[in-house]
Amino acid sequence: MIARCPDVILVGIPFDENSSFLRGAAQAPSKIREALHSSSANLSTEFGRDLGAEPRFRDAGDLSLPSGAVAFAAIEQGVAELLENGDRMVALGGDHAITYPIIRAFAKRYDRLSVLHLDAHPDLYDEFDGNRLSHACPFARIMEEGLIGQLVQMGIRTMTPEQKAQAERFGVEVVTAVQWTNEIGAKFGGPMYLSLDLDVLDPAFAPGLSHHEPGGVSVRDVLSAVQSIRAPLIGADIVEYNPVRDVNGVTAMVAAKCLKEVVDRMLSAAGQ
Ligand code: MN
Ligand code: MN
């Protein structure tokens, strides 16, 4: 019997209560969808796959979330339900704090998940401003709970001594912005998860972000890194887009472009 090809389900997670500096990322999912479907562009990926004519790509809308710490249980539950039939999922944040409950849901289905985390920041603080669920902390929570098998962070350019100690403690492989390689995807086996914090990009390419960290990479670099993925990519998130800071919606279009190429990898034969 031939197994059914998994669908790719898009879900919005409009939650930014754990942002340490600015709110606004909760408004991102609807703005990214608008950009994705804008008549100024089309839905074809760079490999020529028309996502507009792709029955396996479905939009589940946004999760409806309560306020406060209980939102994390709701995110975990909502994602677990989307994964029930063996489908793949790409989530639109929200701030980066949402990756922790998302990964908790994935960890129930997948042993020893490999995670590629693209970000200016390692997000490994034990706590930030007294908040252990801060968007500066998700990978500390994920690693201390042993939820995944491998974490590779790339694009990092804000490492602090505390987070360096955390990276060593948890065995995180850190590839700095200086060491960036467009071929990173080729080094992963599956199943694989991609967490894309858009502030890995230079603010020149993506002004619509809460944390402008100069010295970042280009949109082309991120697309190339995504396109180098050969392992089964079973989950992804695209986080930290902040429409309040955007200029003419340019960052929404960047997020939509990244989304298209991530979905292409999830649908590809190489990724089965
Ligand atoms: Mn982050
Ligand atoms: Mn970041």
Side-chain angles (χ1 to χ4, degrees):
M1 197 178 87
I2 298 168
R4 174 180 82 90
C5 284
D7 287 351
V8 175
I9 302 172
L10 178 68
V11 64
I13 305 185
F15 197 75
D16 63 5
E17 292 183 15
N18 293 295
S19 292
S20 58
F21 182 58
L22 292 173
R23 297 291 162 91
Q27 301 169 38
S30 60
K31 298 289 185 192
I32 298 171
R33 283 193 187 89
E34 256 174 51
L36 182 69
H37 297 287
S38 164
S39 56
S40 77
N42 64 49
L43 279 157
S44 285
T45 71
E46 294 191 347
F47 291 116
R49 189 194 298 275
D50 180 3
L51 298 184
E54 176 52 74
R56 290 170 56 209
F57 177 48
R58 297 188 274 125
D59 190 343
D62 290 352
L63 294 185
S64 157
L65 299 169
S67 188
V70 289
F72 275 36
I75 294 168
E76 185 179 334
Q77 176 66 24
V79 171
E81 285 170 13
L82 290 176
L83 298 179
E84 254 164 22
N85 296 320
D87 292 318
R88 299 176 177 189
M89 183 216 75
V90 55
L92 302 176
D95 68 36
H96 216 159
I98 66 167
T99 300
Y100 169 44
I102 291 173
I103 292 288
R104 280 180 61 106
F106 272 86
K108 286 187 203 142
R109 291 192 68 91
Y110 298 96
D111 281 340
R112 304 200 51 77
L113 199 57
S114 291
V115 176
L116 174 60
H117 166 209
L118 303 179
D119 202 326
H121 314 95
D123 295 348
L124 283 167
Y125 283 106
D126 183 55
E127 56 86 24
F128 197 82
D129 290 343
N131 180 10
R132 288 173 56 81
L133 299 180
S134 166
H135 71 160
C137 306
F139 290 94
R141 299 292 83 76
I142 287 165
M143 297 310 280
E144 68 195 7
E145 286 186 26
L147 299 176
I148 62 176
Q150 179 191 18
L151 176 59
V152 179
Q153 305 184 320
M154 187 164 78
I156 307 299
R157 53 192 189 277
T158 58
M159 188 62 89
T160 59
E162 179 194 337
Q163 292 184 98
K164 187 164 191 295
Q166 291 274 79
E168 284 163 11
R169 172 185 164 209
F170 295 130
V172 180
E173 187 179 332
V174 179
V175 182
T176 66
V178 171
Q179 298 164 330
W180 181 276
T181 165
N182 286 347
E183 301 303 318
I184 191 78
K187 65 182 260 125
F188 289 86
M192 181 180 173
Y193 184 97
L194 171 71
S195 187
L196 172 55
D197 181 333
L198 291 167
D199 69 29
V200 74
L201 293 160
D202 194 274
F205 295 94
L209 293 161
S210 296
H211 301 266
H212 290 161
E213 187 61 41
V217 299
S218 71
V219 176
R220 189 75 255 155
D221 292 327
V222 168
L223 296 177
S224 295
V226 168
Q227 289 167 346
S228 74
I229 292 171
R230 296 288 173 268
L233 182 64
I234 50 94
D237 59 61
I238 299 175
V239 296
E240 294 287 338
Y241 170 47
N242 186 342
V244 175
R245 301 260 270 183
D246 207 358
V247 178
N248 296 329
V250 64
T251 314
M253 204 48 110
V254 166
K257 177 79 174 175
C258 293
L259 171 63
K260 286 199 299 182
E261 297 309 310
V262 167
V263 171
D264 186 284
R265 287 299 80 202
M266 289 181 150
L267 289 168
S268 75
Q272 297 306 324

